[in-house]
């Protein structure tokens, strides 16, 4: 594959990382720590976020638009760094759309890599999943986990308030912390034997320290970023045909469908650094 002309900067074949909003930045961060050599384009569909309460059809339609957009920017590989998009759109895109668009290009999600790791994380075989309405109602974690480790008992709880709280930077307020505490207590109350909680929404690592404080040291609170980064590294080892077309200038562009000033400001809490994003229509 030849290098594709990128309409924003230079001629590159970057890895595309997509999320409905800011949450995927927590995954991007970990991927860039693990694989700093590659070029990346991050796309946040902030203007249409949150996706969590949207229907299957709408999440699929928005996600496909984002994937096609990232392909047009030259990305041969796109990571859906969003559980909701992974749960509601990934399979259809992989099975129906990719063969028609370009059979070389690939789209990967965050649910499969996470479920593959769960067995190595739990001792009690009792695991709690926290996610958006969309992710929890899809049952994707339970369905995937059944394939690798049917002995693991899963309880799950949807936290529809958390993404809006985080996107509005209200999660540290007294009311915000109360909502979060109630949801965590609800999950823990469903099964006394839980020893691992998976933060199955890419926004939730922002709350990781607080949730860990709430549940105490006997329960591990796991964010997906490091898992997805490790699995991507493995994927590129076993897929050298993909690895060799990726460009390696260590660059990263941030694109948003929202106002860039708002994106730059809010992205700070996810990245701990200043960035300059560009506005796009997808
Ligand atoms: N970050 C997305 C996820 O991992 C959810 C955010 C949203 O509801 O848009 O599920």
């Amino acid at each position: 594959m030849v290098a594709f002309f990128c309409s924003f900067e230079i001629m590159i074949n970057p890895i595309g990382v997509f999320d409905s909003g800011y949450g995927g930045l927590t995954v991007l961060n970990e991927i860039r720590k693990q694989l700093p050599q590659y070029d990346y384009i991050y796309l946040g569909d902030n203007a249409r976020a949150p996706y969590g309460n949207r229907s299957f059809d709408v999440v699929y339609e928005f996600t496909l638009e984002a994937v096609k957009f990232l392909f047009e920017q030259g990305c041969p590989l796109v990571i859906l760094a969003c559980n909701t998009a992974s749960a509601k759109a990934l399979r259809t895109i992989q099975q129906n759309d990719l063969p028609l668009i370009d059979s070389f290009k690939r789209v990967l999600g965050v649910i499969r890599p996470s479920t593959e790791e769960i067995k190595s994380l739990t001792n009690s075989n009792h695991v709690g999943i926290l996610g958006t309405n969309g992710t929890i109602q899809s049952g994707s974690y339970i369905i995937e986990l059944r394939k690798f480790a049917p002995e693991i008992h899963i309880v799950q709880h949807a936290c529809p308030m958390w993404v809006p709280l985080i996107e509005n930077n209200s999660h540290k307020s007294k009311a915000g912390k109360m909502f979060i505490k109630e949801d965590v207590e609800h999950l823990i109350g469903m099964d006394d034997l839980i020893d691992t909680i998976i933060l199955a929404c890419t926004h939730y690592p922002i709350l990781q320290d607080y949730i860990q404080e709430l549940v105490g040291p006997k329960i591990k609170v796991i964010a997906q970023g490091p898992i997805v980064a490790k699995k991507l590294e493995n994927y590129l080892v076993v897929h050298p045909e993909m690895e060799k077309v990726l460009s390696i200038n260590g660059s990263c562009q941030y694109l948003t469908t929202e106002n860039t000033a708002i994106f730059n400001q809010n992205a700070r809490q996810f990245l701990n650094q200043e960035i300059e994003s560009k506005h796009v229509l997808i």
Side-chain angles (χ1 to χ4, degrees):
M1 176 182 281
V2 291
F4 193 98
F5 178 71
C6 172
S7 50
F8 292 98
E9 265 167 27
I10 41 175
M11 299 212 356
I12 53 174
N13 281 332
I15 297 174
V17 178
F18 170 67
D19 185 46
S20 56
Y22 301 105
L25 293 170
T26 61
V27 176
L28 175 73
N29 237 351
E30 296 299 331
I31 293 177
R32 289 194 76 204
K33 267 190 223 157
Q34 190 90 4
L35 301 164
Q37 67 273 36
Y38 298 113
D39 295 305
Y40 296 90
I41 297 182
Y42 182 85
L43 171 62
D45 190 9
N46 303 74
R48 301 190 291 191
Y51 280 14
N53 290 324
R54 293 189 186 274
S55 67
F56 264 85
D57 292 353
V58 169
V59 172
Y60 163 67
E61 185 192 313
F62 287 1
T63 305
L64 182 60
E65 283 170 5
V67 165
K68 284 182 174 168
F69 176 86
L70 286 167
F71 284 168
E72 281 161 18
Q73 310 315 308
C75 302
L77 174 63
V78 172
I79 312 297
L80 300 185
C82 174
N83 286 269
T84 311
S86 299
K88 293 188 164 184
L90 179 64
R91 190 170 294 255
T92 314
I93 290 175
Q94 285 175 331
Q95 292 177 354
N96 299 355
D97 298 299
L98 275 187
L100 300 174
I101 299 171
D102 183 337
S103 57
F104 177 78
K105 298 193 184 215
R106 288 288 173 268
V107 181
L108 306 174
V110 291
I111 296 179
R112 176 76 178 250
S114 306
T115 52
E116 283 173 357
E117 276 304 283
I118 286 177
K119 197 171 165 46
S120 67
L121 295 168
T122 174
N123 292 321
S124 69
N125 278 352
H126 287 248
V127 173
I129 306 278
L130 294 169
T132 64
N133 266 337
T135 300
I136 298 305
Q137 282 165 11
S138 74
S140 299
Y141 276 85
I142 295 174
I143 294 165
E144 281 297 324
L145 201 66
R146 239 181 245 141
K147 298 176 193 161
F148 308 110
E151 71 280 14
I152 292 179
H153 180 72
I154 294 240
V155 288
Q156 44 173 17
H157 177 59
C159 310
M161 289 303 293
W162 289 15
V163 170
L165 282 173
I166 295 166
E167 295 260 329
N168 294 311
N169 210 4
S170 307
H171 54 284
K172 288 186 187 143
S173 68
K174 204 171 161 205
K177 286 176 105 169
M178 197 188 73
F179 274 120
I180 295 160
K181 186 166 182 272
E182 273 176 14
D183 281 321
V184 171
E185 283 171 355
H186 183 96
L187 180 81
I188 298 300
M190 292 167 85
D191 182 349
D192 295 344
L193 298 175
I194 291 174
D195 69 351
T196 307
I197 293 177
I198 308 293
L199 301 180
C201 172
T202 51
H203 282 67
Y204 298 177
I206 291 288
L207 309 175
Q208 188 169 4
D209 291 346
Y210 179 51
I211 298 171
Q212 188 67 70
E213 194 184 300
L214 290 172
V215 299
K218 289 197 183 130
I219 299 180
K220 283 179 260 175
V221 179
I222 305 291
Q224 297 171 298
I227 299 173
V228 174
K230 192 176 89 181
K231 297 284 179 180
L232 177 59
E233 188 174 27
N234 295 345
Y235 175 86
L236 293 174
V237 170
V238 294
H239 291 281
E241 76 289 355
M242 176 59 75
E243 199 284 332
K244 70 173 188 269
V245 303
L246 296 173
S247 53
I248 44 171
N249 304 297
S251 72
C252 187
Q253 293 184 66
Y254 298 91
L255 309 180
T256 176
T257 54
E258 243 295 355
N259 173 291
T260 54
I262 296 175
F263 185 88
N264 297 347
Q265 189 186 335
N266 290 342
R268 239 185 262 146
Q269 68 167 329
F270 291 85
L271 290 170
N272 291 323
Q273 73 175 86
E274 299 293 326
I275 56 145
E276 266 196 42
S277 60
K278 289 178 178 147
H279 178 259
V280 290
L281 293 172
I282 58 175

